[in-house]
Amino acid sequence: MEPTARAATTAPCPPLSEDGPPSAELAELLDGVPRQRGPATASDPATVAVARPLPTPVPFRPWRLLPTPTGTPFTVGYAAVLALTSLFTEYADPSLVHALHQASSTDVAHLLRSPVLVLLASALWIAGGLLSPYALAFVLVLTALERRMGGPRAAGIFLLGHVLATLATEVPVGIAVLAGHLPHSSLHRLDYGISFGVAAGVGSLAGLLTPWLRWPLLALAAEIVVQDLIAFTDPMTNWGHLIALAIGVTTWPLVRHWQRARTA
């Protein structure tokens, strides 16, 4: 008797369909076949990543250094107020101007009576008028901060330096008067202007710039402040400038977060 043939251990390959996609059995077999290397297609993730265009560098636009009503409304509005008060200081009666400056002074006596009012009023004047270096610094620094963070946050940085540096210089004066180390007239020291807010703005802005701009700006600002301290013409105000600059530097993590949130 002839021995019977053994049945095949593998099933025959199903035929390819000419009119449609391969059957389920054929698809399972094809999944196990190694694929041949070939040219990458547009659907490959690696190809998509390589084909992604590189970011275009932002060109330098000098006109963006100056404020505009639509781009920097806070800086434009504040600068207009400062221009009006500076013109008033230039052409009004000197005795009236002195009386307004004295009423706006952030000395110890005024800070004890009406701190909020006097802190706001003192920031409406520019010591030295429109020709003061702080006037130009105000326009450039506040414009740069507002374009990077927005008007309310730029105003917050300015106000933070103005208030904290004022308190840091006037509170020791009050303590010294109470201790008998300074005369009682020191409680009425004339102190007004925007210089503390501008110094804090310079310190904050440095943290948003590239290193080749950041460190020269800080070095220039520190040199000016130290020279004023060495001259010893107005020690309390000069110390206030240094304190305000340091306050601005401490805000670097915050202002960088605000800039990322604005440009996201």
Side-chain angles (χ1 to χ4, degrees):
M1 178 182 293
E2 294 289 335
T4 57
R6 292 184 178 179
T9 58
T10 58
C13 179
L16 294 175
S17 175
E18 297 179 358
D19 298 329
S23 61
E25 294 82 358
L26 181 59
E28 294 178 359
L29 291 176
L30 292 178
D31 288 340
V33 178
R35 296 184 180 181
Q36 299 295 323
R37 293 183 178 272
T41 61
S43 60
D44 293 338
T47 306
V48 174
V50 173
R52 188 173 299 167
L54 297 176
T56 305
V58 179
F60 176 66
R61 291 168 286 186
W63 59 88
R64 288 181 61 84
L65 297 176
L66 299 177
T68 58
T70 56
T72 57
F74 166 73
T75 304
V76 170
Y78 196 177
V81 173
L82 293 175
L84 291 176
T85 57
S86 298
L87 292 175
F88 179 84
T89 302
E90 183 70 21
Y91 296 105
D93 182 67
S95 59
L96 176 60
V97 172
H98 177 74
L100 291 176
H101 284 170
Q102 188 66 50
S104 304
S105 175
T106 52
D107 52 34
V108 177
H110 284 98
L111 287 174
L112 290 175
R113 288 199 300 266
S114 53
V116 176
L117 179 61
V118 74
L119 283 169
L120 295 177
S122 65
L124 299 179
W125 309 92
I126 302 178
L130 293 176
L131 299 181
S132 170
Y134 288 103
L136 178 60
F138 169 86
V139 172
L140 296 178
V141 171
L142 265 292
T143 298
L145 286 177
E146 187 170 3
R147 290 193 184 279
R148 287 165 171 79
M149 302 185 305
R153 290 167 177 172
I157 293 296
F158 179 90
L159 191 62
L160 181 69
H162 177 70
V163 172
L164 293 186
T166 298
L167 296 178
T169 52
E170 293 297 338
V171 169
V173 172
I175 295 175
V177 171
L178 290 177
H181 299 300
L182 288 176
H184 193 269
S185 60
S186 300
L187 299 178
H188 303 277
R189 190 177 67 92
L190 191 63
D191 187 14
Y192 64 91
I194 61 172
S195 59
F196 290 170
V198 172
V202 172
S204 292
L205 178 61
L208 301 177
L209 301 176
T210 56
W212 66 275
L213 285 175
R214 177 187 310 146
W215 302 117
L217 176 62
L218 277 181
L220 177 62
E223 180 184 4
I224 295 174
V225 170
V226 170
Q227 285 181 354
D228 290 341
L229 281 172
I230 294 174
F232 210 71
T233 54
D234 191 356
M236 297 303 298
T237 301
N238 297 334
W239 274 111
H241 293 156
L242 183 60
I243 293 171
L245 183 66
I247 290 171
V249 172
T250 60
T251 64
W252 283 4
L254 181 62
V255 296
R256 286 169 178 172
H257 172 73
W258 285 346
Q259 185 183 39
R260 289 192 298 267
R262 183 174 177 84
T263 58

